[in-house]
Amino acid sequence: MKPIEIFKALSNESRLQILEWLKDPEQHFTPHEGIDMRTIGVCVSQFTDKLNMTQSTASQYLAMLQRAGLIKTKRIGKFTYYQRDEQAIREVADYFKQQM
């Protein structure tokens, strides 16, 4: 775990919102082409629409969360899907409990 990368990733309201939405994707998104969001994830275009930003910006935000280890990706065809890495998020919570 790289605390600085995590802090950077969490220092933006939209990136925090992405993590919140991914906690319960079925509540916040419509499935993309019949994809099971619980097991596969959410497509970048769905974030783009919901955040009202360009795909490039949404992709950058998602990449930052991925580099911080907070989300995982899965590629299916031409689409990349994103979901929370719950184990990593638990580790971050434990870090805060023990170190902060």
Side-chain angles (χ1 to χ4, degrees), residues 8-10 20-21 28 39 50 52 55 58 60-61 65-66 70 72-73 75 79 83 85 97-98:
K8 285 180 188 177
L10 297 177
E20 267 184 55
W21 290 334
H28 300 285
T39 58
K50 200 157 180 75
N52 195 30
Q55 185 165 343
Q60 288 174 8
Y61 284 3
L65 290 166
Q66 183 182 11
L70 299 171
K72 307 181 274 189
T73 63
R75 182 96 175 154
F79 298 103
Q83 65 184 153
D85 185 333
K97 286 179 193 173
Q98 295 171 10

Side-chain angles (χ1 to χ4, degrees), residues 60-96:
Q60 288 174 8
Y61 284 3
L62 290 161
M64 184 172 227
L65 290 166
Q66 183 182 11
R67 279 192 307 275
L70 299 171
I71 61 174
K72 307 181 274 189
T73 63
K74 191 173 289 190
R75 182 96 175 154
I76 299 177
K78 63 181 181 174
F79 298 103
T80 302
Y81 296 89
Y82 300 85
Q83 65 184 153
R84 285 169 44 124
D85 185 333
E86 296 299 336
Q87 177 62 37
I89 290 171
R90 280 190 294 277
E91 289 172 13
V92 170
D94 289 343
Y95 174 82
F96 274 99

Side-chain angles (χ1 to χ4, degrees), residues 2-93:
K2 301 174 189 171
I4 295 298
E5 290 299 316
I6 293 167
F7 292 137
K8 285 180 188 177
L10 297 177
S11 69
N12 175 282
E13 188 175 346
S14 294
R15 290 189 294 265
L16 285 171
Q17 187 68 64
I18 288 169
L19 285 176
E20 267 184 55
W21 290 334
L22 287 176
K23 187 172 185 177
D24 187 7
E26 293 169 330
Q27 179 181 343
H28 300 285
F29 299 97
T30 302
H32 184 250
E33 298 183 6
I35 295 292
D36 179 0
M37 291 183 290
R38 288 269 177 218
T39 58
I40 303 296
V42 178
C43 182
V44 67
S45 63
Q46 294 169 283
F47 292 108
T48 300
D49 295 341
K50 200 157 180 75
L51 292 166
N52 195 30
M53 62 178 53
T54 65
Q55 185 165 343
S56 173
T57 302
S59 292
Q60 288 174 8
Y61 284 3
L62 290 161
M64 184 172 227
L65 290 166
Q66 183 182 11
R67 279 192 307 275
L70 299 171
I71 61 174
K72 307 181 274 189
T73 63
K74 191 173 289 190
R75 182 96 175 154
I76 299 177
K78 63 181 181 174
F79 298 103
T80 302
Y81 296 89
Y82 300 85
Q83 65 184 153
R84 285 169 44 124
D85 185 333
E86 296 299 336
Q87 177 62 37
I89 290 171
R90 280 190 294 277
E91 289 172 13
V92 170

